[in-house]
Amino acid sequence: MKNNQNPSTISLFKLLNAQLHLSNLLSLILFFVFGLCFGVILTPRLKTISFNLKFTQFSLSTTAAAAVTSDFVAPSQAALPPVELGLKSYLTPPELMHDMTDGELIWRASMVPKVGDYPFKRTPKVAFMFLTRGPVVLSPLWERFFKGYDGLFTIYVHSSDSSANVTVPEDSVFFGRRIPSKDVGWGKVNMIEAERRLLANALLDFSNQRFVLLSEACIPLFNFSTVYSYLINSKHNFVESYDQEGPVGRGRYSPKMGPVVDIEEWRKGSQWFEMDRDLAIQVIADKVYFSVFHDFCGGQCYADEHYLPTFVTKIFREMNANRTLTFVDWAKGGPHPTRYMGDDVTEEFLKKLRNDRSCEYNGKKDQICHLFARKFASHSLERLLRIAPKLMQFNL
Ligand SMILES: *[C@@H]1O[C@H](CO)[C@@H](O)[C@H](O)[C@H]1NC(C)=O
Ligand SMILES: *[C@@H]1O[C@H](CO)[C@@H](O)[C@H](O)[C@H]1NC(C)=O
Ligand SMILES: *[C@@H]1O[C@H](CO)[C@@H](O)[C@H](O)[C@H]1NC(C)=O
């Protein structure tokens, strides 16, 4: 039957069908274009209407101050608390037991603000840096010394013997003050590395202004208020530096150190220094002089007695008092100074150390020459505790 259908009727039907389709399509397109135009014209107006609606609701529900904010501030944003800019967290020194390598630590600690004034209230502190083998054996005396002066000092302990586990009670000012430490050999260059490590860790606290290096055999000779004001008000650094002829002076110089260090520039001095923040940053940042000492001042050279005196005299001589504030007695000769035992500690002896001669301070004669003294054996602690706090008028 299908094959019998007239072909002309079929084609006419097809034509009609196609025309119908075409008009359908045209009307669809027209409708779409019209809808698009309508949408384009109307959408911004609708948005404004809805925003104004929201804004009106928002200003109604908040104070007049919030209502004057720009039309473009989304209400949800304006409701958030102000962004924490982070100066407070930037000023908070990191945990002492951090995971920085020496290189990372020194890089971070050597950052200097270009702006001289601090945009916050800064109370300068004195950093007391203890370079020890094991624990700070005279710490009970220092505890008495620091008592009542929180906020004016910080303590750092580099204890080279990491196996000697320092059990410090939680209420002690020494608790948790040990920095990541490494082995130190007597008279070796790694002693200077330990000093730089102490300085760098202490520099991370922006409030530290003065830096004192002490050993476990050091004691204070005056009370905290005297020590603090002496250090904070000083115009000079205290890095002992002198030129000495003979085998234990210029004799330790090696011509290989030239031309960075000439023999005339070679200096000697006690390793126990006291310096300000500017010099401390220069010391940790130094690579030129340190690498010369590292390479050519080993063994019998004793880098710790020559590096800082030579470096500071060559570059920062005018700011240096050229003397140390830590008393030590070399009168007996030999490689080690006199060590004071329990019986040596008397009131007369300590008085003598406090008042032995007159020194210059900020360009004027002053009674105080030394703020600290060494070397005191751990046996002397008991007598020191009995005599020193009263004699030195500690804050009791
Ligand atoms: C050392 O002290 C720490 C806590 O300060 C403790 O966790 C650790 O077990 C101690 N190590 C030894 C060998 O006593
Ligand atoms: C600290 O010692 C000095 C003497 O060196 C004394 O004049 C001063 O009163 C003492 N300070 C305190 C707070 O006891
Ligand atoms: C310290 O010694 C250097 C020279 O070695 C000198 O220029 C400087 O003025 C001395 N400092 C003081 C305070 O006298």
Side-chain angles (χ1 to χ4, degrees), residues 149 222-226 354 368 392-395:
Y149 294 99
F222 292 88
N223 60 22
F224 185 90
S225 54
T226 304
R354 281 159 59 87
I368 297 176
M392 299 172 194
Q393 301 176 55
F394 284 5
N395 199 4

Side-chain angles (χ1 to χ4, degrees), residues 121-366:
K121 191 179 174 298
R122 176 181 182 261
T123 305
K125 290 183 194 163
V126 176
F128 291 83
M129 310 182 300
F130 290 85
L131 179 58
T132 69
R133 282 183 198 85
V136 182
V137 285
L138 300 177
S139 61
L141 179 70
W142 286 101
E143 295 272 0
R144 303 279 290 271
F145 169 81
F146 288 122
K147 201 171 164 219
Y149 294 99
D150 282 356
L152 296 179
F153 68 90
T154 47
I155 292 172
Y156 301 86
V157 180
H158 185 292
S159 123
S160 52
D161 183 0
S162 47
S163 66
N165 212 0
V166 196
T167 45
V168 183
E170 257 181 68
D171 58 358
S172 161
V173 289
F174 289 90
F175 182 77
R177 301 311 298 174
R178 183 169 178 263
I179 64 160
S181 312
K182 289 184 185 165
D183 272 354
V184 174
W186 184 70
K188 293 234 180 81
V189 173
N190 57 20
M191 182 90 92
I192 298 171
E193 286 170 330
E195 291 173 13
R196 286 156 67 99
R197 210 171 286 131
L198 274 166
L199 281 173
N201 277 284
L203 279 166
L204 294 180
D205 186 337
F206 292 105
S207 55
N208 283 331
Q209 183 57 30
R210 288 270 163 174
F211 302 80
V212 185
L213 184 69
L214 300 158
S215 78
E216 66 257 74
C218 285
I219 63 160
L221 289 177
F222 292 88
N223 60 22
F224 185 90
S225 54
T226 304
V227 168
Y228 180 85
S229 74
Y230 193 98
L231 294 176
I232 292 289
N233 297 317
S234 170
K235 296 188 177 109
H236 294 98
N237 294 299
F238 298 89
V239 179
E240 191 181 35
S241 173
Y242 53 89
D243 187 4
Q244 189 181 16
E245 302 284 343
V248 295
R250 287 197 181 198
R252 293 176 181 171
Y253 173 82
S254 159
K256 288 186 190 144
M257 295 174 178
V260 177
V261 179
D262 292 332
I263 182 92
E264 299 79 33
E265 295 166 334
W266 184 250
R267 291 290 182 279
K268 187 178 178 177
S270 160
Q271 97 184 83
W272 310 105
F273 62 74
E274 186 289 313
M275 60 178 67
D276 66 9
R277 193 169 178 92
D278 290 346
L279 181 57
I281 291 170
Q282 298 291 347
V283 169
I284 64 156
D286 167 51
K287 275 206 165 112
V288 175
Y289 293 88
F290 180 68
S291 66
V292 164
F293 278 78
H294 181 272
D295 294 347
F296 305 118
C297 187
Q300 299 298 300
C301 178
Y302 302 108
D304 58 281
E305 289 186 343
H306 298 278
Y307 167 66
L308 275 181
T310 304
F311 174 68
V312 172
T313 302
K314 180 146 184 191
I315 311 196
F316 307 98
R317 59 171 62 198
E318 291 314 321
M319 297 305 292
N320 192 14
N322 304 314
R323 65 185 175 95
T324 177
L325 293 178
T326 306
F327 172 87
V328 70
D329 183 9
W330 288 100
K332 282 184 189 161
H336 295 284
T338 307
R339 191 180 175 83
Y340 302 112
M341 312 307 274
D343 293 346
D344 300 316
V345 179
T346 62
E347 205 171 311
E348 290 66 44
F349 172 67
L350 291 179
K351 271 185 183 162
K352 199 171 129 254
L353 294 185
R354 281 159 59 87
N355 229 336
D356 57 345
R357 59 196 163 108
S358 71
C359 287
E360 218 170 76
Y361 177 72
N362 287 346
K364 288 196 196 108
K365 285 274 175 213
D366 192 82

Side-chain angles (χ1 to χ4, degrees), residues 30-190:
L30 257 169
F31 185 75
F32 176 73
V33 169
F34 180 74
L36 198 74
C37 291
F38 187 78
V40 165
I41 293 163
L42 234 76
T43 309
R45 288 164 196 256
L46 276 170
K47 260 192 179 167
T48 325
I49 290 164
S50 81
F51 180 80
N52 280 346
L53 247 160
K54 274 190 196 169
F55 190 73
T56 325
Q57 280 174 350
F58 173 70
S59 40
L60 274 172
S61 64
T62 52
T63 59
V68 292
T69 51
S70 153
D71 273 7
F72 297 101
V73 174
S76 58
Q77 255 176 26
L80 283 173
V83 177
E84 183 87 53
L85 285 180
L87 186 62
K88 201 177 160 201
S89 67
Y90 185 73
L91 294 178
T92 309
E95 287 287 314
L96 280 198
M97 268 299 165
H98 54 71
D99 61 354
M100 282 184 276
T101 64
D102 281 354
E104 290 167 349
L105 167 70
I106 282 174
W107 182 77
R108 186 177 161 173
S110 67
M111 304 276 169
V112 185
K114 191 99 178 164
V115 174
D117 301 328
Y118 294 91
F120 51 90
K121 191 179 174 298
R122 176 181 182 261
T123 305
K125 290 183 194 163
V126 176
F128 291 83
M129 310 182 300
F130 290 85
L131 179 58
T132 69
R133 282 183 198 85
V136 182
V137 285
L138 300 177
S139 61
L141 179 70
W142 286 101
E143 295 272 0
R144 303 279 290 271
F145 169 81
F146 288 122
K147 201 171 164 219
Y149 294 99
D150 282 356
L152 296 179
F153 68 90
T154 47
I155 292 172
Y156 301 86
V157 180
H158 185 292
S159 123
S160 52
D161 183 0
S162 47
S163 66
N165 212 0
V166 196
T167 45
V168 183
E170 257 181 68
D171 58 358
S172 161
V173 289
F174 289 90
F175 182 77
R177 301 311 298 174
R178 183 169 178 263
I179 64 160
S181 312
K182 289 184 185 165
D183 272 354
V184 174
W186 184 70
K188 293 234 180 81
V189 173
N190 57 20

